[in-house]
Amino acid sequence: MPDGIPGTKDEFVVQMKKITKVYPNGVAANQGVDFNLRRGEIHALMGENGAGKSTLMKMLFGLEQPTSGEIIVNGETLNISSPSVAIAHGIGMVHQHFMLVPSLSVAENMVLGMVPTKSGTFIDKNKAIEITKEYAEKFNLHVEPEAKVMDIPVGMKQKVEILKALVRGAKILIMDEPTAVLTTQETSELFVELKNLKNQGYTIVFISHKLNEIMEITDRLTIMRNGRSMGVYYTKDVTKEEISRLMVGRDVVLTVQKDKAVPKQTILKVRDLEYVNEWGKKMLDKLSFDVRAGEILGIAGVEGNGQKELVDMLFNFNIPNSGTVTVNGTSILGMPQQQIRNLGVSLVPEDRMIYGIAASASIEENVISDRSNEKRFNNGPLFNMKAIHEEADRLIKEYAVLCKSRKQHVGMLSGGNIQKVVVAREFSNDPVLIIADQPTRGIDVGATEFIRKKLVELSRSGIAVLLVSADLNEVMELSDSLIVMHNGQIAAYFDDTANLTDEIMGEYMLGLKHQSKEEVRRVCHD
Amino acid sequence: MTKKRQIKFTLIRTLVAISIALLVAALLIFISSGGSTFAEKLNATKEALKQMLIGPLFRMSEKKGTSFEAKRFTEILAAMIPTTFTGLSVCIMFAANQFNMGAEGGIMLGAFVSAMAAIYLPLPAGLHPVVAVLLGGLAVGIVMLIPAVLKAKLNVSEMVCSLMLNYIIMYVIKFLMNTYLADKSKGQIMSFPFRETSVISPIVDNKIFSGSKLTWGFVIAMIAVVLCGLFMYRSRWGYAIRMIGINQDFSKYSGMNVAGTIILSQVVGGFLAGAGGGIEMLGRYNTFSWSALPGYGWTGITIAILAGNNPYMVPLAAFFMAYLSKGCDLMATYAKVPAQLISIVQGVIFLFFAAEQFLSGYKQKLVVQSAQEEIARQNAAKAQEG
Amino acid sequence: MANLLKMLATPEFFWSIIRISAPIIFATLAAIVVEKAGFANIGLEGLMMFAALSGSLVSYYTKSWFWGLIAALLTGVLMSLLMGFFAFKLKTDIILVGIAINMMGSGGTLFLCKVITNLTEGKPMASTTGLITKSLCIPDINIPLISSIPFLGKVISGHNLLTYFAFLFCLLTSIMLYKTPLGLNIRAVGENPNAASSVGVSVLNIKYVAIAFSGLMCGFGGAFMSMAYAQGWSLDMVAGRGFIALAAQAMGGGECLGGMLSALVFGFAQALGIKFSAIGLDSNLASPIPYAITIIGLVIFALIRNNKVKKQHSAAALKN
């Protein structure tokens, strides 16, 4: 079939050719990616977290510039240096985190930056409402023009974002995981609207990793993995299983040597945890599981399926609506962090720069943050500096932190070494339970291997480890047993990871399959 | 960036900031100086600047030439006593990211409470000033609980709250003085004289030290510097204060008591300001007659900014400010330039010190230089291995 | 006590509340607009001091209150732009910039006053009170018809031109914030700068406009202090009104009407203090009342705010 010939009905409106993007820190997010869009299609851009799909779209919208490659929009080669260039060429983006001003009305948000005025001075409110209504009707996107954005539901906020792009003349809409924040009801509404737009000749890029949605709504799909394109397909020609195989998979399998786990008593017991977030979306749905001493329980899953919320509950950064969490029989919900730590719980936080470190403090000051009150580091009112120096030097050595001295500011270290500082602290205070949330995200191979080995070592010494990771390689290699989270529920539990394949994992992660209640319940070792 | 480069940058930045301030000062002096011709004005400016920069240590006279003035030097040291305390106070509060402006009211309240203790508490010499100063410090520490607790529990702006407290403290003290405590036999509003036992005496009892009021308070201030340094860098509480100032989320996650530490920093800050007020009062005066806020709190803020919230640097910054202030006074006396020039000089230095991007281009250059050297070294090492 | 009440129930008393509130209202409007743009200007006190000085001096030298007023406004705007330069360009913490301006506003104005008027000889204190005559002050306005209304007429009429301006500006600022594209941009920048810049609104420009507006208001406030409230400038004459305004902004919920009402509460407290001294009580007992009310007001405001947040949370939980 001849493809994308100008003048035909499947002419390309966007062609991105051999796009490579290398960030200043050396990370190659895109490598020679080809991507194209036909007029009037809904095109899925799929891939795991970190596959490079957001980077690709940021370049199309002018938020990032490619290191090399060519972007052709409507036959014209463009240098999209900023979002305004993109907007001028009819490209609009609906961000996952809405770019809306909460206290302004829907209509005001619509016209921000291009406000209609009466006699050049005053906002023509009626005109703004009129414009909003006109576009809302034209595209059948129902919004309340006069309501304040903070008072409207998430689904409507998204419609406002879509309308904002349309009112600025967008013919190509990039939608970044639009359903991530929506309820089922809102999602089906959105699909009706998107099909509507498509019928009116609009082109839509739909970034997602939800297979069912993609099968339902898209015409073609591009799959990305590790910064490369895995090919373009007609949605009707591929099966979910094929997509899952293309999308989920490991290029390089790093293996970690480990003995078989001998799990002992239950340390962490989570029962019926439920949490509804502030927008009314159920993030945790009757979640129950146990973590036993001496084992690594992995939590796999596409991000945004409740993992973050779960970890927040375990360290009192948030409070669930119902359910219980105990560590060695003591309830820890709502307990101050200090007491949780006193029970022997350690956390390697997902965002190391926000929670993990104080960037402008020294390595030494960072490794003692959880133990500065302990007797061994204090002589009466003063610190026992000798003991603290020794502790810092010992940890720097043991965890091979590459630095000039213990006095160096943590913020000056590389990502891998920063994470080693965090890990050194969290692993070294005689924990009974380690919660490791994305412990090796964005760090170099050396540090990654080191941290993974440490985790195995610690678990074999009798510590319970809960490993939350979106990195399939990591979670499958390290875990002794494994659960897959999907939509705030446990979609699957595997008590042995030895015979697990990428395909099986992909099917559960993307919601194609769901184990029975009985199978899932095995993760509770009562 | 290497440590040496870091120090080099800090030094150059300091010098440039001070130079700019002095340049502004020179310009203002030039405009304001007497004389009708350009040359005359220039000459007057030169004279004024000389007084300001050299005057604090040397007497300049046409007949005898330039000679060292011990009295002026001791006066500068004496002037450092209250501002060292307010500087320390602000350091500890700002280190925790608490923009509490209460040092100003704090020093007045501390002075007042200490003065009352000096008048009305019959205590033996030696113990008397100690008790009086401690009471002054405690009173302010307790008052600072108001902004501290409101901030920690209700997230009420500690800045606005402490500013309001400054005024309340001033008026309440004035009211108490006017109504109950003033010695009605005097022409102006002042308290009864302090008891002899309460006096903080000069370090050396000679004309120079007594005249300049260089009392044991100076020694206590220096001890306070060391204690605050130990508190901030060698104790778990100071450590918690600094970590909260750097990253509050990190501190919470690490299991520190964030609310308690926020309160602690302001109470300790309050205590220091109050004790400083007491020491100043009992060392310099023999009755209480302050009718307005003394301004030491604001100077303390400048000192803390110059010292980078590091207690050990406070004496240096306090000396600098006292020197500058003395210079401006002398300039007013001998060169007829109003002494309040110091406010402008102080403000300019303050602004450039606090400006993060000031000389950032130069800093960037140093960082790049360091990075390049690092890479070169690594390459050399690799080449050797290979 | 009854005596006091009788004194308070007079038109003169209400008249004085309005007069005393005027400069606080100006400063409160300054605080409101920058807060809407997403930052705090705590240098209002210093800005008003500089404006007060330049206003009175220019009025004296040009023999015209009008040029004095213009000079005060210009001073306010230029100094606030300088603040903006340090804060936005050199990335100085805006709070520290405010502190610096306040520092300079205290001693620095005295320095300038002494230098410019050459009043240094033998006087530790200087002021321009001796220079400014009634005719160099901003005039009072009698409103023909209203002034004849019993009681109310005496409360409303006969105020200084700038007092009317203060109330007028409450309205104008509110209109600016809610009815003009500029106001929309200011509010957008304050709440979600990313949203604003994503549709081509320059966040930096809007911040400069907001701080310049606060300077303009401080210009009015300063001019009122030295050319209406008092005849001439004197040291520390603003006396914390810039700080009180910060509290009035918070207590008024960040809105013009609320801010104005809060400013009037402070005005009332101050007027009360003046009356106290008039009947022989110590004014020092009454003077701290506005400051104490500020703290209490902030606490009440915080309690209401915290409650609201709690309710929203439980409402979200209840939905399901």
Side-chain angles (χ1 to χ4, degrees):
Chain A
M1 184 172 67
D3 223 10
I5 294 165
T8 61
K9 79 176 201 337
D10 54 55
E11 122 187 60
F12 288 147
V13 284
V14 169
Q15 279 174 284
M16 298 178 83
K17 291 182 176 171
K18 300 232 173 321
I19 300 289
T20 295
K21 172 70 185 178
V22 182
Y23 282 105
N25 62 9
V27 173
N30 280 178
Q31 298 173 51
V33 176
D34 286 328
F35 178 77
N36 58 57
L37 287 175
R38 285 195 188 137
R39 189 179 307 286
E41 71 169 345
I42 300 181
H43 190 123
L45 184 57
M46 306 187 66
E48 281 194 278
N49 305 102
K53 46 193 196 307
S54 288
T55 306
L56 189 69
M57 287 303 106
K58 277 182 185 167
M59 287 186 279
L60 182 56
F61 191 58
L63 291 166
E64 302 275 0
Q65 278 67 48
T67 314
S68 67
E70 200 183 2
I71 302 177
I72 303 164
V73 179
N74 293 320
E76 190 186 342
T77 303
L78 292 182
N79 171 22
I80 308 180
S81 54
S82 75
S84 37
V85 176
I87 291 167
H89 287 85
I91 300 168
M93 185 156 180
V94 176
H95 300 268
Q96 200 180 354
H97 303 284
F98 298 142
M99 296 285 188
L100 296 172
V101 185
S103 78
L104 300 188
S105 73
V106 168
E108 284 170 327
N109 268 287
M110 282 285 290
V111 299
L112 189 62
M114 42 176 274
V115 185
T117 54
K118 281 184 282 202
S119 62
T121 316
F122 298 110
I123 300 171
D124 191 340
K125 203 174 151 194
N126 291 332
K127 182 88 203 223
I129 293 171
E130 215 172 274
I131 293 172
T132 310
K133 277 188 176 153
E134 180 196 327
Y135 273 80
E137 263 164 43
K138 184 172 166 195
F139 296 103
N140 204 8
L141 289 158
H142 173 70
V143 293
E144 293 162 32
E146 288 174 76
K148 283 186 179 171
V149 164
M150 61 178 154
D151 297 330
I152 63 177
V154 180
M156 196 183 286
K157 283 183 187 151
Q158 193 166 55
K159 288 175 198 172
V160 178
E161 281 281 49
I162 297 172
L163 286 171
K164 256 176 77 184
L166 294 173
V167 83
R168 283 169 178 76
K171 297 280 178 204
I172 301 159
L173 270 181
I174 305 165
M175 307 209 50
D176 190 3
E177 298 196 33
T179 59
V181 289
L182 300 183
T183 60
T184 328
Q185 172 71 29
E186 287 170 330
T187 301
S188 32
E189 254 177 67
L190 174 72
F191 285 1
V192 174
E193 290 149 8
L194 291 184
K195 281 175 190 159
N196 215 333
L197 280 170
K198 174 188 153 180
N199 293 337
Q200 297 189 46
Y202 287 81
T203 310
I204 294 159
V205 184
F206 190 89
I207 303 177
S208 177
H209 24 228
K210 296 187 179 170
L211 282 180
N212 288 327
E213 295 177 356
I214 280 166
M215 300 312 276
E216 182 185 340
I217 196 171
T218 66
D219 302 301
R220 290 196 304 158
L221 48 93
T222 298
I223 297 171
M224 289 189 71
R225 193 156 104 193
N226 288 328
R228 296 173 199 278
S229 166
M230 303 296 289
V232 190
Y233 303 88
Y234 285 93
T235 311
K236 58 180 169 24
D237 294 345
V238 284
T239 63
K240 290 181 192 173
E241 286 71 21
E242 282 169 312
I243 297 174
S244 153
R245 225 172 1 254
L246 285 162
M247 205 173 120
V248 181
R250 294 167 288 174
D251 285 345
V252 194
V253 179
L254 289 170
T255 47
V256 178
Q257 293 292 325
K258 64 173 201 245
D259 314 325
K260 199 163 166 46
V262 190
K264 300 188 193 74
Q265 79 283 14
T266 297
I267 301 288
L268 175 70
K269 194 187 272 254
V270 175
R271 286 294 177 275
D272 298 322
L273 210 56
E274 277 213 307
Y275 175 63
V276 178
N277 72 10
E278 51 191 307
W279 300 291
K281 186 169 161 110
K282 192 174 263 186
M283 297 310 294
L284 297 176
D285 189 359
K286 293 249 177 233
L287 206 64
S288 299
F289 64 88
D290 286 345
V291 186
R292 292 169 294 178
E295 74 166 347
I296 301 180
L297 176 72
I299 295 187
V302 174
E303 264 177 90
N305 279 290
Q307 299 96 317
K308 185 190 174 307
E309 286 74 11
L310 169 66
V311 174
D312 280 354
M313 304 303 162
L314 298 182
F315 225 69
N316 193 28
F317 289 125
N318 206 338
I319 306 234
N321 297 61
S322 63
T324 58
V325 177
T326 58
V327 171
N328 279 330
T330 311
S331 169
I332 59 165
L333 289 177
M335 192 185 249
Q337 281 81 8
Q338 188 169 21
Q339 289 177 35
I340 296 179
R341 282 180 176 277
N342 286 344
L343 290 172
V345 183
S346 275
L347 169 66
V348 179
E350 178 189 2
D351 195 329
R352 72 181 81 97
M353 299 311 281
I354 292 180
Y355 290 106
I357 57 157
S360 62
S362 70
I363 296 172
E364 180 172 69
E365 286 164 339
N366 271 279
V367 292
I368 62 158
S369 68
D370 64 331
R371 62 200 68 163
S372 59
N373 286 327
E374 282 175 24
K375 225 172 177 177
R376 59 185 165 132
F377 298 121
N378 287 282
N379 280 333
L382 292 185
F383 272 148
N384 178 350
M385 290 314 280
K386 193 162 159 267
I388 290 175
H389 292 336
E390 277 169 13
E391 175 87 346
D393 286 339
R394 181 178 70 82
L395 290 175
I396 286 171
K397 193 160 166 243
E398 196 179 323
Y399 288 83
V401 180
L402 201 64
C403 61
K404 291 202 182 76
S405 79
R406 59 175 180 252
K407 293 283 171 220
Q408 198 176 359
H409 283 184
V410 168
M412 305 295 275
L413 301 176
S414 72
N417 281 301
I418 290 178
Q419 188 71 343
K420 279 184 183 174
V421 170
V422 176
V423 161
R425 179 185 62 230
E426 297 304 317
F427 289 180
S428 64
N429 208 12
D430 298 327
V432 297
L433 169 69
I434 294 173
I435 302 162
D437 192 2
Q438 321 292 351
T440 62
R441 169 173 296 169
I443 63 177
D444 59 284
V445 182
T448 300
E449 215 181 327
F450 183 90
I451 290 170
R452 288 180 183 168
K453 274 189 183 148
K454 265 286 180 214
L455 273 173
V456 172
E457 200 181 290
L458 287 166
S459 80
R460 293 307 172 261
S461 74
I463 293 169
V465 176
L466 178 65
L467 170 69
V468 182
S469 180
D471 180 337
L472 203 59
N473 193 15
E474 177 166 272
V475 81
M476 286 173 73
E477 282 303 316
L478 293 189
S479 306
D480 300 306
S481 54
L482 194 153
I483 55 185
V484 179
M485 275 185 78
H486 185 256
N487 269 343
Q489 294 177 329
I490 296 176
Y493 169 66
F494 303 102
D495 54 5
D496 186 8
T497 54
N499 301 317
L500 265 180
T501 61
D502 298 359
E503 285 93 73
I504 299 174
M505 286 296 287
E507 285 170 357
Y508 286 106
M509 279 166 67
L510 298 172
L512 298 181
K513 281 188 178 172
H514 202 295
Q515 285 181 352
S516 71
K517 274 188 178 160
E518 287 68 34
E519 281 173 294
V520 169
R521 200 171 296 145
R522 289 176 302 134
V523 71
C524 302
H525 308 281
D526 304 300
Chain B
M1 201 156 48
T2 59
K3 188 128 198 185
K4 225 166 122 192
R5 287 224 171 89
Q6 187 84 50
I7 292 169
K8 184 178 158 196
F9 175 70
T10 312
L11 226 89
I12 287 180
R13 204 179 119 105
T14 309
L15 286 177
V16 173
I18 292 173
S19 305
I20 292 175
L22 290 179
L23 213 68
V24 172
L27 204 72
L28 286 171
I29 296 169
F30 180 80
I31 295 167
S32 66
S33 63
S36 43
T37 66
F38 185 79
E40 266 177 47
K41 271 179 169 284
L42 204 64
N43 213 27
T45 308
K46 228 167 74 190
E47 277 308 305
L49 275 178
K50 218 153 96 189
Q51 285 294 347
M52 180 169 121
L53 296 176
I54 310 171
L57 292 183
F58 301 96
R59 176 183 290 278
M60 284 161 283
S61 78
E62 308 223 326
K63 277 178 247 161
K64 294 183 199 161
T66 307
S67 60
F68 180 71
E69 264 292 284
K71 177 145 186 294
R72 288 186 190 169
F73 182 61
T74 51
E75 276 168 2
I76 292 172
L77 296 184
M80 285 169 62
I81 299 171
T83 54
T84 298
F85 276 100
T86 50
L88 290 172
S89 158
V90 177
C91 272
I92 288 175
M93 297 191 288
F94 276 27
N97 240 346
Q98 300 303 305
F99 286 111
N100 185 316
M101 310 275 137
E104 185 71 32
I107 200 157
M108 184 166 182
L109 179 62
F112 175 73
V113 171
S114 298
M116 291 309 116
I119 299 166
Y120 297 105
L121 281 186
L123 286 170
L127 185 65
H128 200 170
V130 176
V131 171
V133 167
L134 285 179
L135 283 175
L138 280 177
V140 182
I142 290 167
V143 169
M144 282 307 146
L145 277 172
I146 298 172
V149 172
L150 289 180
K151 172 65 183 283
K153 298 292 173 201
L154 290 175
N155 207 15
V156 168
S157 160
E158 76 282 8
M159 192 176 65
V160 175
C161 188
S162 58
L163 284 168
M164 295 298 115
L165 273 177
N166 287 344
Y167 287 101
I168 295 173
I169 287 170
M170 178 181 82
Y171 283 118
V172 169
I173 290 175
K174 281 173 76 171
F175 169 73
L176 291 174
M177 286 296 296
N178 286 356
T179 319
Y180 303 110
L181 301 167
D183 182 351
K184 298 285 196 280
S185 65
K186 295 283 178 0
Q188 63 191 109
I189 295 185
M190 56 168 69
S191 73
F192 293 97
F194 304 159
R195 285 166 191 259
E196 290 288 329
T197 47
S198 71
V199 172
I200 297 178
S201 52
I203 301 176
V204 180
D205 199 8
N206 65 17
K207 220 173 127 191
I208 290 177
F209 275 70
S210 311
S212 60
K213 301 284 180 192
L214 184 58
T215 62
W216 283 100
F218 183 79
V219 177
I220 301 169
M222 292 307 116
I223 293 171
V225 167
V226 176
L227 289 179
C228 286
L230 288 174
F231 176 75
M232 289 303 280
Y233 294 105
R234 290 290 156 88
S235 85
R236 49 191 180 278
W237 305 288
Y239 168 77
I241 285 174
R242 287 186 296 121
M243 292 306 122
I244 281 172
I246 295 172
N247 184 348
Q248 193 164 318
D249 290 325
F250 164 76
S251 306
K252 183 172 181 234
Y253 147 85
S254 295
M256 296 179 197
N257 180 350
V258 174
T261 308
I262 285 175
I263 294 171
L264 177 74
S265 73
Q266 297 184 52
V267 169
V268 171
F271 177 85
L272 283 165
I279 288 170
E280 174 72 357
M281 186 47 61
L282 303 186
R284 194 176 285 276
Y285 306 91
N286 48 27
T287 62
F288 183 88
S289 62
W290 287 0
S291 62
L293 295 168
Y296 297 137
W298 297 109
T299 309
I301 293 173
T302 310
I303 289 170
I305 295 293
L306 295 187
N309 293 342
N310 178 346
Y312 292 125
M313 299 299 280
V314 162
L316 205 63
F319 179 80
F320 175 72
M321 290 307 301
Y323 188 97
L324 206 62
S325 165
K326 182 76 191 164
C328 287
D329 282 343
L330 288 168
M331 191 172 64
T333 316
Y334 294 104
K336 303 273 185 286
V337 176
Q340 287 76 20
L341 177 65
I342 191 172
S343 293
I344 293 175
V345 176
Q346 188 180 344
V348 173
I349 293 177
F350 185 101
L351 274 176
F352 279 101
F353 249 81
E356 250 173 55
Q357 291 293 306
F358 174 53
L359 293 184
S360 62
Y362 175 63
K363 184 171 185 175
Q364 190 57 35
K365 226 170 89 186
L366 287 181
V367 169
V368 169
Q369 224 172 349
S370 291
Q372 278 167 349
E373 281 171 15
E374 182 81 359
I375 291 165
R377 216 176 46 229
Q378 278 173 1
N379 286 346
K382 263 185 205 159
Q384 243 173 16
E385 276 169 32
Chain C
M1 200 65 207
N3 196 12
L4 182 68
L5 277 179
K6 222 162 86 190
M7 284 181 73
L8 297 189
T10 58
E12 287 78 18
F13 181 67
F14 286 100
W15 186 88
S16 70
I17 293 175
I18 290 176
R19 181 176 107 99
I20 292 167
S21 304
I24 304 176
I25 290 176
F26 280 124
T28 305
L29 294 175
I32 286 171
V33 170
V34 288
E35 197 273 343
K36 286 276 184 211
F39 59 100
N41 181 356
I42 72 155
L44 305 176
E45 183 85 5
L47 288 175
M48 284 201 281
M49 284 302 294
F50 278 108
L53 177 67
S54 82
S56 71
L57 285 178
V58 171
S59 169
Y60 169 70
Y61 286 114
T62 60
K63 300 284 167 231
S64 151
W65 63 264
F66 176 77
W67 290 113
L69 175 61
I70 297 295
L73 300 181
L74 271 178
T75 306
V77 171
L78 290 178
M79 303 252 344
S80 64
L81 286 175
L82 189 73
M83 290 180 74
F85 173 77
F86 271 94
F88 310 140
K89 177 78 186 167
L90 294 179
K91 304 276 179 244
T92 316
D93 190 324
I94 185 89
I95 290 177
L96 297 180
V97 178
I99 293 174
I101 288 288
N102 290 338
M103 259 183 215
M104 293 199 253
S106 179
T109 46
L110 181 56
F111 170 80
L112 292 174
C113 176
K114 283 182 173 181
V115 164
I116 295 168
T117 59
N118 281 324
L119 282 170
T120 46
E121 267 78 25
K123 284 187 190 166
M125 283 296 147
S127 70
T128 65
T129 43
L131 308 178
I132 303 296
T133 56
K134 186 79 190 154
S135 68
L136 292 179
C137 283
I138 296 160
D140 294 340
I141 307 286
N142 275 308
I143 309 172
L145 276 172
I146 290 177
S147 61
S148 54
I149 305 172
F151 198 89
L152 198 65
K154 281 189 184 158
V155 174
I156 294 178
S157 183
H159 280 288
N160 191 274
L161 178 66
L162 286 193
T163 307
Y164 295 114
F165 267 38
F167 289 91
L168 183 66
F169 265 105
C170 283
L171 186 68
L172 290 179
T173 307
S174 193
I175 290 173
M176 187 274 284
L177 282 174
Y178 290 99
K179 302 282 179 200
T180 69
L182 174 66
L184 191 68
N185 288 346
I186 288 177
R187 289 183 292 143
V189 164
E191 252 188 272
N192 188 349
N194 288 333
S197 62
S198 79
V199 292
V201 175
S202 163
V203 174
L204 191 65
N205 286 354
I206 294 295
K207 282 186 168 179
Y208 271 114
V209 169
I211 203 164
F213 182 89
S214 78
L216 184 75
M217 287 301 114
C218 288
F220 277 115
F224 183 89
M225 289 310 296
S226 67
M227 297 160 69
Y229 191 82
Q231 283 186 27
W233 173 93
S234 58
L235 183 65
D236 291 334
M237 72 181 314
V238 178
R241 287 176 175 83
F243 300 133
I244 290 182
L246 296 176
Q249 182 273 334
M251 268 172 68
E255 299 302 335
C256 296
L257 181 66
M260 184 188 85
L261 293 175
S262 305
L264 281 169
V265 170
F266 296 126
F268 170 76
Q270 250 170 34
L272 198 66
I274 294 168
K275 276 280 172 250
F276 270 21
S277 34
I279 61 166
L281 277 168
D282 191 339
S283 71
N284 287 313
L285 196 59
S287 299
I289 292 174
Y291 306 101
I293 286 182
T294 305
I295 294 179
I296 295 165
L298 284 177
V299 171
I300 294 171
F301 180 72
L303 285 172
I304 293 171
R305 184 186 55 199
N306 290 1
N307 247 344
K308 231 188 218 166
V309 172
K310 255 185 218 158
K311 263 188 198 149
Q312 272 169 359
H313 269 273
S314 44
L318 276 178
K319 256 189 234 164
N320 295 274

